[in-house]
Amino acid sequence: DIVMTQTPLSLSVTPGQPASISCNSSQSLLHSDGRTYLFWYLQKPGQPPQPLIYQISNRFSGVPDRFSGSGSGTDFTLKISRVESDDVGIYYCMQSKQLPTFGQGTKVEIK
Amino acid sequence: QVQLVESGGGVVQPGKSLGLSCAASGFSFSAYSMHWVRLAPGKGLEWVALISFDGTNEHYADSVEGRFTISRDNSKNTLYLQMSSLTIEDTAVYYCAKGTGRNSWAFDGWGQGSLVTVSS
């Protein structure tokens, strides 16, 4: 299994300030088809998870452009350029190069 | 608009069985892989099982292999999860999730979830 490790596990951010979450995979997520199967999801309180980013850096439909993803190989980052109160929740990275595995989750709170 | 509605959750004793259903609408159900993902109390998301668009391929997490069975009925736009030999560790909210493609191992739509509590 590919192990996904997120840091930090919790983050307290002032509204309007940036935030960054790191995700490391135990092996490269670059598939033989040339794509890198790294995704980001957000679970807001009391809601099901919602998709944010696919294949490292592509935003799913409807995701605000303050969310961006970057990285390659085994190291990836989700950035929120200006955190809003609606961004609170738990952020998960996930790989699907092999059967899906998630990171532990990063809880984002507002100061 | 993707809509996924899970049903069938509840309280069940250890060692017993329980079945979940997920009714899909708003997209061409038979064209997408489907998944079950769970969230146990105090833990993170765990992928459980997936089935290909036509039902010919299934995959399971090691934690449920041999105990859970995923299936689908494309004529009814419905996904199923049959769970047997349940343990306390299976207590979780179970989410039905839509795959991003026919045989995709990632997902882009989720239901509201169905709570399964395994308790004596």
Side-chain angles (χ1 to χ4, degrees):
Chain A
D1 291 6
I2 297 178
V3 177
M4 306 296 287
T5 303
Q6 290 180 230
T7 54
L9 298 184
S10 66
L11 202 50
S12 185
V13 187
T14 301
Q17 293 300 301
S20 179
I21 300 169
S22 296
C23 177
N24 173 269
S25 56
S26 60
Q27 56 182 275
S28 175
L29 301 185
L30 177 61
H31 194 277
S32 57
D33 66 6
R35 299 174 182 172
T36 301
Y37 290 94
L38 185 281
F39 297 75
W40 291 94
Y41 296 92
L42 164 61
Q43 186 161 28
K44 297 181 180 180
Q47 296 185 22
Q50 60 189 70
L52 292 176
I53 301 286
Y54 65 96
Q55 292 171 23
I56 303 178
S57 59
N58 301 282
R59 285 185 297 275
F60 280 97
S61 176
V63 175
D65 60 8
R66 65 178 183 276
F67 292 92
S68 64
S70 62
S72 64
T74 60
D75 292 292
F76 307 94
T77 302
L78 176 71
K79 292 184 178 177
I80 311 172
S81 59
R82 297 172 305 279
V83 171
E84 299 183 1
S85 58
D86 190 49
D87 298 336
V88 299
I90 302 177
Y91 290 76
Y92 295 93
C93 62
M94 187 202 80
Q95 67 78 27
S96 66
K97 179 186 179 184
Q98 296 179 6
L99 293 179
T101 49
F102 291 92
Q104 316 96 303
T106 296
K107 187 173 185 178
V108 172
E109 300 175 324
I110 298 296
K111 281 185 182 175
Chain B
Q1 178 184 355
V2 173
Q3 188 164 10
L4 300 167
V5 179
E6 301 93 339
S7 60
V11 180
V12 60
Q13 292 179 329
K16 300 295 188 182
S17 299
L18 191 67
L20 301 179
S21 298
C22 171
S25 60
F27 66 102
S28 182
F29 180 74
S30 62
Y32 293 90
S33 65
M34 295 295 296
H35 302 251
W36 290 99
V37 179
R38 67 185 180 184
L39 181 65
K43 298 198 173 180
L45 294 171
E46 179 187 18
W47 170 81
V48 173
L50 77 88
I51 188 166
S52 61
F53 71 104
D54 57 2
T56 57
N57 287 296
E58 305 162 24
H59 296 278
Y60 299 91
D62 289 345
S63 58
V64 307
E65 179 84 54
R67 299 188 299 122
F68 288 14
T69 301
I70 188 172
S71 61
R72 65 191 297 161
D73 186 337
N74 285 346
S75 69
K76 297 182 178 178
N77 288 351
T78 303
L79 177 72
Y80 303 99
L81 185 68
Q82 183 63 37
M83 304 178 289
S84 63
S85 302
L86 285 161
T87 72
I88 292 174
E89 287 70 36
D90 296 316
T91 294
V93 175
Y94 284 74
Y95 296 100
C96 164
K98 169 188 167 291
T100 58
R102 289 157 63 100
N103 295 298
S104 173
W105 289 5
F107 14 90
D108 59 7
W110 304 67
Q112 290 297 313
S114 182
L115 177 61
V116 173
T117 302
V118 184
S119 173
S120 55

